[in-house]
Amino acid sequence: MGHVNLVTGGAGFIGSHLCEALLARGDEVLCLDNFFTGRKANIEHLLGNPRFELIRHDVINPIVLEADCIYNFACPASPVHYQFNPVKTIQTNVMGAMNMLNLARETGARVLQASTSEVYGDPAVHPQVESYWGNVNPIGPRSCYDEGKRVAETLFFDYHQQDKVDIRVIRIFNTYGPRMLVNDGRVVSNFAVQALRNEPITIYGEGSQTRSFCYVDDLVRGIIAMMDCDGFNGPVNLGNPGEFTILELAEMVIQMTGAKSELVRNPLPKDDPTRRQPDITLAREKLGWEPAVPLVQGLRKTIDYFDALLSKNGD
Ligand code: NAD
Ligand code: UDP
């Protein structure tokens, strides 16, 4: 018999792909979400599966459930959404982590935390290795997310040390793919939607800042590999080492859509990291994992997804 998995944030972008992959291998899935940025549409196709259950709940409140594996993904990930109510974002990160750790301690479940490359802040070390402590502003607009995720990591390792909770910590780098929201606010969805509508492409700052984009299917393989891996707690970077400037990304999207969009310059948001690229040596060694989907291929699938969605909405 397969595992019983609890996926918090399971109706979100990454969470819904994770639920799907776990069901596909014969596991049971309890999908928990408060629908802040998640949508029923993301998991609608799973509702008929007898191994799938949906629970509306906010992770800042404790909950008692039986599961062998807990994937803690509840938290808005787009700067636009996590800055909407920063205090709530910290609560979600800190209280959500504590509630899932308490549940794991009570039940003996293994618990995996979706941490982030944001723990490295605006990194002074490039590419980022897990041993780097980061460069994070504690009182800036991104702090509710960055520091919240850093405290969550601290809690995970303290519960492990103090109470022997079986933890896993992954640091996810920019991930994209179908089921991102049209109004998500992150760069790949913004550019794809703007290009498909022939609207101006919004470049923040000069567009010379870099990111490394991982296709969601690759990421989900890495998440499950880490949960299944014995004797290794992490933290481990999961991301695609291909590094692109934001201008390069805009040009690729325009070329792939044939859009007539012009580029417009908007102000660079405060504390926007200048460079980001994962060193995935550890993931390769410990998990035998590396991404397989190049950016052009993943962008094609993502653009096609938004194209179908916008046509359906009469956009
Ligand atoms: P998302 O916004 O699509 O998903 C987050 C999900 O969590 C949503 O379904 C939302 O409704 C739910 N949620 C938010 N607050 C909650 C709460 N208090 N209680 C219950 N549910 C709540 O974002 P995503 O990109 O799928 O990110 C999922 C996780 O992965 C997040 O923890 C995020 O920090 C992490 N992550 C994502 C990326 C990325 O590039 N996508 C990078 C690093 C880390
Ligand atoms: N960005 C941009 N235009 C947009 C959205 C984002 O130029 O419409 C830039 C943003 O300033 C950042 C990069 O793209 O430098 C990635 O932003 P995103 O919000 O996707 O993720 P994060 O900054 O958290 O990595």
Side-chain angles (χ1 to χ4, degrees), residues 178-191:
R179 298 201 196 122
M180 295 182 93
L181 295 175
V182 168
N183 69 348
D184 180 276
R186 282 176 280 184
V187 68
V188 173
S189 46
N190 272 10
F191 286 4

Side-chain angles (χ1 to χ4, degrees), residues 77-80 82 116-118 142 145-146 173-175 180 184-191 194 201-213 246-247 249 264 266-269 271-274 276:
S78 160
V80 176
Y82 72 64
T116 166
S117 52
E118 286 283 317
R142 301 176 85 96
Y145 184 77
D146 298 9
F173 283 64
N174 297 60
T175 298
M180 295 182 93
D184 180 276
R186 282 176 280 184
V187 68
V188 173
S189 46
N190 272 10
F191 286 4
Q194 289 163 348
I201 305 271
T202 52
I203 307 284
Y204 300 166
E206 294 300 310
S208 54
Q209 68 271 36
T210 69
R211 292 294 186 273
S212 302
F213 300 101
I246 295 307
L247 266 183
L249 178 72
V264 294
N266 286 5
L268 186 69
D271 295 343
D272 198 282
T274 320
R276 185 180 288 156

Side-chain angles (χ1 to χ4, degrees), residues 231-282:
F232 175 53
N233 302 113
V236 65
N237 290 339
L238 293 181
N240 191 321
E243 186 187 5
F244 297 85
T245 67
I246 295 307
L247 266 183
E248 283 171 336
L249 178 72
E251 278 154 14
M252 283 174 85
V253 172
I254 289 176
Q255 201 236 322
M256 289 175 73
T257 50
K260 296 175 187 60
S261 302
E262 50 171 355
L263 303 183
V264 294
R265 292 229 154 50
N266 286 5
L268 186 69
K270 188 173 183 304
D271 295 343
D272 198 282
T274 320
R275 304 183 73 181
R276 185 180 288 156
Q277 183 191 32
D279 181 319
I280 60 164
T281 309
L282 193 63

Side-chain angles (χ1 to χ4, degrees), residues 130 168-169 222 224-238 280-290:
E130 290 84 351
R168 298 288 178 276
V169 174
I224 295 176
M226 182 59 174
M227 181 61 102
D228 288 349
C229 178
D230 290 323
F232 175 53
N233 302 113
V236 65
N237 290 339
L238 293 181
I280 60 164
T281 309
L282 193 63
R284 282 198 178 104
E285 270 172 28
K286 296 282 187 184
L287 310 175
W289 177 85
E290 63 182 5

Side-chain angles (χ1 to χ4, degrees), residues 9 11-14 33-38 57-59 73-77 88 92 114-116 145 149 172-175 186:
F13 159 52
I14 298 175
D33 210 292
N34 74 346
F35 299 109
F36 176 50
T37 49
H57 179 79
D58 193 312
V59 286
F73 278 67
C75 180
K88 175 72 192 217
T92 298
S115 190
T116 166
Y145 184 77
K149 289 282 187 184
I172 303 170
F173 283 64
N174 297 60
T175 298
R186 282 176 280 184

